[in-house]
């Protein structure tokens, strides 16, 4: 049986208001000609740095079935084009049409930390009960959300969408587009605080997700967070159910017990009255709590909590968000924990806690390689300095720092914990590679703009390529 098309030309025309005489279908939607697949609809988005119209010909060259372009685009040498006044608004219109035609149960996830991991847990668990569509990567902004929604197959039974923000007012229109049945706020912390007067204002911005909740829907909120009451107050007027998750005895989805392991966690939870033990395939108490929030959404979506929890043992951390890799050397296994996608004070402390839980009998030294946390405003030096307590409480042996902000932390550290400090990853790399050895557990983390991925990749290459004899020489 032939697979149903994602969109017909007629449906695209109806959704966007662009009249096209041709008939045909598209199998996907893309805004990047580099990753476009044959049969896709290419949407030429005009952004701050790139204008997609420059790549329309390349898109057709790669097999695009059609393109959405601006009204003034010269189509003389192009393929089938839908001309519209505003291509981003046309993508939004396609997204709204996608939401209107589906009968899927929709879950939306926002929060200062943990959005992508929670979204991926939901994707994995809901897939046990039916066809599940979810945002790719961290497609959570003004173009990522409508793109993800426009890509949702009409026959999906479940949809999971991540919604993020840098400024107030960004989540509300995206939430109204997604119209979730269940909304999760993972946590509220001083992330992007440069653009807000207080953490309370960040809570208000996250609470915008309630603006799109379907009537009779549900909000799942972090009871252990200082902003919990503020979130509850914002959700209370929306005629939705409010459910708390966390460790507090009042939580509707509650962590009952937690056992840390190097490669995962053993967890017992009470999820809206269902007692469920499970193994989570990644370590970290904060991730176990996010899994419990996700299980709450699973139950509210009508899916067996027991069946869903059973697959969490297979869960793997998304790339750059705690992905773990081991390398064997004569002196012991080297563990590299890649946390380089992003960083803020809350996620940095959580990552240091995971590193601190690494068993001493498996790894001789716990090493933190830290890059600047960005968008923290005038309080940035203080936020960095305050990480010293997390270094100490988690028994981290050695710290390497990259960037001018992390230099504030480095200055707070005792001499025996100072591994090296530099202004950039490139400058720090040789110092780090010369210091690491077999038996180390190494966690690399920083904001995306601090480019700590260069150091994580350098470590992987180092332990992949250096012969065992060289490891032995350096360790001796």
């Amino acid at each position: 049986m032939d697979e149903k098309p994602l969109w017909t030309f007629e449906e695209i025309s109806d959704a966007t208001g662009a009249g096209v005489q041709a008939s045909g279908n598209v199998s996907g939607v893309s805004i990047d000609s580099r990753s476009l697949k044959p049969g896709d609809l290419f949407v030429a988005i005009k952004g701050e740095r790139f204008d997609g119209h420059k790549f329309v010909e390349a898109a057709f060259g790669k097999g695009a079935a059609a393109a959405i372009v601006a009204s003034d685009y010269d189509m003389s040498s192009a393929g089938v084009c839908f001309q519209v006044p505003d291509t981003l608004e046309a993508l939004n219109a396609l997204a709204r049409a996608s939401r209107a035609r589906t009968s899927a149960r929709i879950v939306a996830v926002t929060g200062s930390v943990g959005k992508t991991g929670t979204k991926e847990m939901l994707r994995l668990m809901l897939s046990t009960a039916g066809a599940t569509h979810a945002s790719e990567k961290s497609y959570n902004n003004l173009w990522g959300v409508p793109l993800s929604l426009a890509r949702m197959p009409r026959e999906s039974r479940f949809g999971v969408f991540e919604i993020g923000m840098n400024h107030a007012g960004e989540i509300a229109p995206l939430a109204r587009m997604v119209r979730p049945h269940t909304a999760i706020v993972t946590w509220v912390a001083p992330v992007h605080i440069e653009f807000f007067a207080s953490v309370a204002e960040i809570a208000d911005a996250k609470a915008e997700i309630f603006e799109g909740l379907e009537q009779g829907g549900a909000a799942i909120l972090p009871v252990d967070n200082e902003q919990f009451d503020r979130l509850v107050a914002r959700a209370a007027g929306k005629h939705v159910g409010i459910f708390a998750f966390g460790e507090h005895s009042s939580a509707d989805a509650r962590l009952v017990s937690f056992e840390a392991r190097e490669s995962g966690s053993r967890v017992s939870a009470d999820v809206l009255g269902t007692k469920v033990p499970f193994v989570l395939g990644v370590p970290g108490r904060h991730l176990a709590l996010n899994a419990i929030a996700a299980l709450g959404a699973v139950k509210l979506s009508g899916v067996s909590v027991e069946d869903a929890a059973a697959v969490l043992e297979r869960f793997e951390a998304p790339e750059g968000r705690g992905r773990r890799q081991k390398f064997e050397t004569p002196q012991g296994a080297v563990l590299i924990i890649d946390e380089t996608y992003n960083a803020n004070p809350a996620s940095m402390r959580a990552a240091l806690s995971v590193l601190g839980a690494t068993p001493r009998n498996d790894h001789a030294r716990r090493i933190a390689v830290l890059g600047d946390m960005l968008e923290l405003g005038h309080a940035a030096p203080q936020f960095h300095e305050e990480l010293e307590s997390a270094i100490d409480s988690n028994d981290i042996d050695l710290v390497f720092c990259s960037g001018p902000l992390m230099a504030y932390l480095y200055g707070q550290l005792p001499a025996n914990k100072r591994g090296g400090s530099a202004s950039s990853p490139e400058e720090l790399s040789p110092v780090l590679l010369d210091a690491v050895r077999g038996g180390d557990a190494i966690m690399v983390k920083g904001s995306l703009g601090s480019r700590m991925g260069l150091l994580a990749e350098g470590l992987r290459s180092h332990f992949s390529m250096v012969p065992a004899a060289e490891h032995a020489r350096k360790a001796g």
Side-chain angles (χ1 to χ4, degrees):
M1 185 172 64
D2 292 337
E3 186 175 334
K4 292 181 180 179
L6 181 64
W7 295 99
T8 67
F9 285 4
E10 182 179 5
E11 289 170 332
I12 297 169
S13 182
D14 287 345
T16 63
V20 169
Q21 301 301 317
S23 61
N25 306 313
V26 304
S27 53
V29 182
S30 174
I31 63 171
D32 188 337
S33 63
R34 296 168 298 181
S35 58
L36 180 142
K37 297 177 182 177
D40 279 357
L41 169 70
F42 178 68
V43 185
I45 301 295
K46 187 173 183 179
E48 294 180 0
R49 294 186 298 167
F50 300 103
D51 184 351
H53 293 85
K54 295 180 179 180
F55 306 98
V56 173
E57 292 295 338
F60 281 116
K62 291 190 68 175
I68 293 178
V69 299
S71 301
D72 58 357
Y73 179 74
D74 180 5
M75 300 191 301
S76 58
S77 59
V80 176
C81 288
F82 297 85
Q83 286 191 296
V84 296
D86 185 322
T87 54
L88 179 57
E89 179 49 41
L91 180 61
N92 290 341
L94 200 61
R96 288 190 289 268
S98 177
R99 181 64 184 89
R101 75 182 183 180
T102 187
S103 59
R105 293 289 299 184
I106 306 295
V107 182
V109 182
T110 193
S112 299
V113 293
K115 293 185 294 295
T116 302
T118 304
K119 179 255 298 182
E120 290 301 325
M121 290 180 198
L122 283 162
R123 183 205 298 267
L124 178 65
M125 291 192 290
L126 290 171
S127 294
T128 65
T132 300
H133 173 76
S135 310
E136 289 186 25
K137 301 178 181 178
S138 289
Y139 286 2
N140 62 23
N141 62 6
L142 80 166
W143 57 261
V145 172
L147 177 63
S148 299
L149 192 50
R151 287 173 167 177
M152 185 167 67
R154 69 191 77 215
E155 61 272 17
S156 298
R157 184 175 173 189
F158 304 100
V160 187
F161 298 91
E162 178 180 339
I163 304 180
M165 64 90 191
N166 291 329
H167 297 79
E170 292 179 344
I171 287 180
L174 299 177
R176 294 188 190 105
M177 184 184 298
V178 171
R179 292 195 288 117
H181 299 95
T182 304
I184 297 175
V185 180
T186 58
W187 198 251
V188 178
V191 181
H192 312 301
I193 193 69
E194 177 181 0
F195 309 118
F196 295 89
S198 66
V199 177
E201 285 193 2
I202 294 176
D204 291 343
K206 297 300 182 185
E208 291 176 21
I209 197 169
F210 309 143
E211 298 296 322
L213 267 174
E214 292 283 83
Q215 188 167 358
I220 299 178
L221 310 176
V223 69
D224 305 307
N225 191 269
E226 292 181 354
Q227 301 299 322
F228 175 71
D229 290 341
R230 193 175 186 93
L231 292 171
V232 169
R234 290 293 300 271
K238 303 299 179 184
H239 305 291
V240 299
I242 299 174
F243 299 88
F245 78 94
E247 298 189 60
H248 194 274
S249 59
S250 65
D252 303 287
R254 181 169 61 90
L255 176 67
V256 176
S257 66
F258 173 85
E259 179 187 342
R261 299 178 175 184
E262 180 183 345
S263 59
S265 308
R266 185 171 292 278
V267 184
S268 177
D270 185 326
V271 181
L272 280 60
T274 301
K275 292 178 172 57
V276 55
F278 62 93
V279 174
L280 182 60
V282 292
R285 196 180 196 91
H286 61 297
L287 296 174
L289 288 165
N290 288 345
I292 291 169
L295 281 166
V298 164
K299 185 167 185 177
L300 292 170
S301 299
V303 175
S304 164
V305 171
E306 293 90 346
D307 291 347
V311 304
L312 284 172
E313 190 170 7
R314 303 204 309 264
F315 179 74
E316 296 181 354
E319 185 177 354
R321 295 175 174 83
R323 183 73 59 88
R324 302 161 80 86
Q325 192 167 1
K326 269 195 170 182
F327 298 86
E328 298 295 335
T329 80
Q331 287 67 47
V334 174
L335 173 66
I336 298 174
I337 307 172
D338 186 347
E339 286 269 12
T340 58
Y341 181 79
N342 225 328
N344 57 67
S347 67
M348 190 68 82
R349 288 177 181 276
L352 288 168
S353 176
V354 170
L355 178 62
T358 304
R360 286 289 187 192
N361 58 330
D362 292 337
H363 298 282
R365 298 189 302 175
R366 299 165 177 161
I367 298 176
V369 185
L370 310 178
D372 287 351
M373 302 180 291
L374 305 178
E375 296 185 353
L376 295 179
H378 64 85
Q382 179 183 345
F383 281 122
H384 287 76
E385 288 175 349
E386 289 173 348
L387 292 176
E388 193 275 333
S389 62
I391 299 290
D392 182 60
S393 63
N394 288 294
D395 199 17
I396 308 302
D397 298 296
L398 208 56
V399 179
F400 292 83
C401 290
S402 174
L405 291 172
M406 272 299 165
Y408 289 98
L409 168 63
Y410 199 74
Q412 297 290 110
L413 297 174
N416 66 321
K417 291 187 182 291
R418 295 182 181 182
S421 180
S423 61
S424 68
E426 291 87 351
E427 187 180 342
L428 184 61
S429 181
V431 179
L432 174 63
L433 294 179
D434 189 60
V436 297
R437 58 176 184 256
D440 288 338
I442 310 161
M443 187 271 291
V444 188
K445 187 170 182 63
S447 289
L448 190 61
S450 65
R451 301 181 298 115
M452 297 301 284
L454 295 173
L455 291 172
E457 182 55 39
L459 286 165
R460 285 190 290 263
S461 298
H462 177 74
F463 284 104
S464 296
M465 299 174 64
V466 177
E470 178 66 8
H471 283 306
R473 182 190 68 76
K474 293 189 71 172

